[in-house]
Amino acid sequence: DLEASAGVSPNNTTSSEVVVRMMFRRLSRGPAVARATLRPPATSSAQKTAALSTTAASSDRWTAFRPADPEKPKLVLAYSGGLDTSTQLAYLVHERGFEVCAYIADLGQSDVRSAEDVAAIEAKAKASGAYAFACADLRKDFVENYVFECVRANAVYEGRYLLGTSMARPCIAKKQVEIAHAEGARHVSHGSTGKGNDQVRFELCYLGTDPTLKCVTLWRDREYLAKFKGRQDLLEYASQKGIPVSATKKHSYSEDENAMHISYESGELEDPAFPGATGAYPGKVLKKLTADLLDTPDEPAALELDFSEGRCVAVRVLDSRTGALLETHDRDAWAVFSALNDLAGRHGVGRIDIVENRYVGMKSRGCYETPAGTVLYAAHLDLEALTMDREVMRLRDSLAIKYAELVYNGYWFAPEMDFLRHAMDHAQRSVTGTVALQLHKGHVLCRGRTSPFSLYNKNLVSMDEEGGFVPENSTGFIQTLATRLKAVKRRDDAL
């Protein structure tokens, strides 16, 4: 049954190939917190037995097309099935002499939503020369250990960007390294360009989890760049190698999608003034995950979000007029997040168009749709205001800026991130409770919050009763606070 589910006949499979497949499945079960690990591949009989006895998620997919040539070095490629990575796969196999395992991570993006989608990408990997194909279902791991961790830290890059691409890279890279260990590969590769942030993120994550790995980056390779000067060169090479790719580019801009967001950049979007106040965005930009505001419902969506130590554990959808419970989503992190994505997207929540500072030193323009993430950040921050001490919040806010920078720049597996995680864990101990909110025409409107750990004292703050507060004490308090101001004023008057 295990072999049949992997798509390979048991009669044509060696015992070592079975072990590798089962190890891949075992490794698909992410840790409680996504941190670096340096575990070698399973080699002992006890480890192999444990690997064989573990059942993986049904949406994981592993296929061995042929035995790898033991005389050639193995490489695991972060693969998308597009023109760039398909051409790179073929180049690595035919021109550089690698045995390549094509690996794609399912983070909730639309192009691997169905078995047919994955099968088409797998077929392209085989045609490009890969000896094996792996699709890892990392949706739950991504939400639990990356998205929720950034929300708990209130990590927002430069005050606006919710880090959807940045937080995905360590999730992808960590699994890639684990597959490399299972395959006995000492090389890894990715398709990121030499101008962007992702090359830095991927490679810092590779080396932060296993310093002995070697990264082959073709978009920084002089010979590769000389051979492929543009899209037409890639298409001609793909045609020569029998790789089925479309000769027509879908759109002028590029996209990067996962459950947290979809980003759009390049093409017409490289002009930061485009499209202006009255123009239209090209193609599907800002239209794939969120509805246009003119098409959103006139009736707001009423929700209640439950949090436990800063993590969203349940979403309840209510009738906005009667308050009657309509839906509850609380099975797991993925169920909560995907339900929130659908609902927030329907109400046009989470669209931004910004210019940001890349780590490599240039400014870039990006358009982002982040429906569920936008709701979670707003609700989480609202609950923190009720439960978190003022001075702790101020310290957390200062650390959140650094946390966001580290995530954006690719330092997920750095020691300073471990330090910050421990600080955030401590700060989140009391962030438990419920936030009531409405989604309407692109807005997230927090309308109430409760917590068993609330620091809010209604009697103390009320204007209608004393509640234990002695107003007379404020006189001395104010005079003490004003000491510095009065001294400065006297000095300035004498100047």
Side-chain angles (χ1 to χ4, degrees):
D1 290 343
L2 290 172
E3 287 307 302
S5 67
V8 179
S9 168
N11 297 327
N12 298 324
T13 308
T14 67
S15 59
S16 61
E17 288 172 331
V18 173
V19 170
V20 166
R21 259 193 291 284
M22 293 305 101
M23 284 182 60
F24 168 74
R25 293 176 172 187
R26 175 175 63 82
L27 290 168
S28 295
R29 301 171 64 190
V33 178
R35 293 187 173 93
T37 179
L38 282 173
R39 294 174 183 168
T43 54
S44 71
S45 58
Q47 287 174 309
K48 291 178 180 178
T49 301
L52 286 166
S53 66
T54 302
T55 303
S58 60
S59 51
D60 284 340
R61 188 182 184 107
W62 170 273
T63 305
F65 304 126
R66 56 179 174 79
D69 185 342
E71 300 301 317
K72 295 181 178 180
K74 285 184 176 180
L75 178 148
V76 180
L77 170 67
Y79 184 67
S80 69
L83 174 62
D84 283 12
T85 54
S86 293
T87 305
Q88 289 180 2
L89 197 167
Y91 188 89
L92 289 165
V93 171
H94 299 292
E95 319 301 335
R96 298 289 294 272
F98 285 102
E99 285 285 22
V100 177
C101 171
Y103 150 69
I104 187 168
D106 178 1
L107 301 183
Q109 66 269 35
S110 58
D111 58 2
V112 293
R113 197 154 289 168
S114 70
E116 291 75 19
D117 293 332
V118 178
I121 296 172
E122 178 185 295
K124 195 174 293 185
K126 182 179 181 180
S128 301
Y131 77 88
F133 172 82
C135 178
D137 181 1
L138 302 180
R139 293 174 297 174
K140 186 178 176 182
D141 177 40
F142 177 52
V143 173
E144 283 185 344
N145 297 317
Y146 299 86
V147 175
F148 282 2
E149 290 300 302
C150 288
V151 172
R152 293 174 81 231
N154 197 34
V156 183
Y157 182 68
E158 295 185 336
R160 295 194 287 177
Y161 175 43
L162 299 186
L163 298 166
T165 295
S166 313
M167 65 178 69
R169 296 319 184 221
C171 183
I172 296 169
K174 182 174 183 291
K175 176 61 63 178
Q176 188 176 356
V177 171
E178 291 172 348
I179 294 173
H181 287 169
E183 288 290 280
R186 302 311 310 151
H187 297 79
V188 289
S189 186
H190 57 82
S192 305
T193 70
K195 279 190 176 182
N197 295 312
D198 279 343
Q199 58 176 336
V200 180
R201 294 169 182 151
F202 273 119
E203 293 177 41
L204 288 180
C205 288
Y206 296 151
L207 298 175
T209 50
D210 185 348
T212 68
L213 287 173
K214 296 180 180 179
C215 187
V216 180
T217 309
L218 292 179
W219 282 124
R220 300 200 304 264
D221 181 90
R222 188 177 299 276
E223 182 179 332
Y224 186 83
L225 292 172
K227 185 176 180 66
F228 300 103
K229 294 183 172 63
R231 180 176 172 81
Q232 191 56 42
D233 292 333
L234 295 171
L235 287 168
E236 289 176 4
Y237 187 81
S239 177
Q240 293 170 11
K241 301 301 181 183
I243 304 170
V245 294
S246 172
T248 304
K249 193 175 182 181
K250 292 181 180 179
H251 31 63
S252 61
Y253 53 87
S254 64
E255 299 176 357
D256 181 74
E257 183 184 6
N258 57 53
M260 178 64 172
H261 84 169
I262 183 169
S263 66
Y264 309 89
E265 60 182 15
S266 76
E268 298 101 314
L269 300 176
E270 290 179 350
D271 176 1
F274 175 85
T278 59
Y281 287 100
K284 292 289 186 178
V285 172
L286 297 179
K287 301 183 186 75
K288 293 190 76 171
L289 297 184
T290 59
D292 189 273
L293 292 185
L294 295 176
D295 300 325
T296 57
D298 293 329
E299 192 81 15
L303 306 177
E304 290 180 344
L305 273 61
D306 291 343
F307 287 85
S308 177
E309 296 186 355
R311 297 180 180 88
C312 186
V313 294
V315 173
R316 287 183 297 281
V317 184
L318 310 177
D319 185 295
S320 61
R321 298 188 182 186
T322 68
L325 179 63
L326 301 178
E327 303 171 18
T328 300
H329 304 278
D330 59 3
R331 186 180 71 250
D332 57 31
W334 173 250
V336 167
F337 196 78
S338 57
L340 197 54
N341 246 342
D342 292 340
L343 193 60
R346 206 180 308 150
H347 286 266
V349 171
R351 293 178 165 192
I352 60 170
D353 177 338
I354 62 174
V355 172
E356 66 200 58
N357 289 295
R358 287 183 180 173
Y359 192 33
V360 292
M362 63 188 77
K363 290 185 181 291
S364 67
R365 189 266 190 96
C367 299
Y368 302 98
E369 294 178 273
T370 317
T374 300
V375 177
L376 283 180
Y377 270 89
H380 175 262
L381 189 61
D382 190 72
L383 185 59
E384 282 186 330
L386 186 70
T387 62
M388 188 178 287
D389 175 76
R390 181 187 70 182
E391 296 305 316
V392 171
M393 181 174 284
R394 288 176 177 175
L395 284 172
R396 191 288 311 272
D397 287 347
S398 66
L399 294 176
I401 295 172
K402 187 61 179 178
Y403 192 108
E405 289 177 356
L406 292 174
V407 175
Y408 187 85
N409 294 338
Y411 291 95
W412 190 273
F413 299 114
E416 58 269 37
M417 274 295 286
D418 263 346
F419 168 80
L420 288 178
R421 284 192 195 96
H422 282 88
M424 297 305 177
D425 285 345
H426 186 87
Q428 295 297 303
R429 294 179 305 163
S430 62
V431 186
T432 294
T434 300
V435 178
L437 52 84
Q438 287 188 349
L439 309 179
H440 192 227
K441 301 295 182 184
H443 293 283
V444 181
L445 308 169
C446 294
R447 294 166 59 88
R449 68 289 300 161
T450 60
S451 171
F453 308 118
S454 172
L455 294 176
Y456 185 93
N457 186 325
K458 183 179 177 181
N459 295 331
L460 185 64
V461 77
S462 174
M463 300 298 289
D464 298 322
E465 57 183 287
E466 184 180 281
F469 186 82
V470 182
E472 291 87 347
N473 291 344
S474 295
T475 301
F477 177 65
I478 294 169
Q479 288 299 315
T480 300
L481 292 178
T483 300
R484 175 178 60 89
L485 303 181
K486 290 187 289 186
V488 172
K489 178 61 176 172
R490 284 194 294 267
R491 182 204 64 188
D492 290 348
D493 287 347
L495 292 176

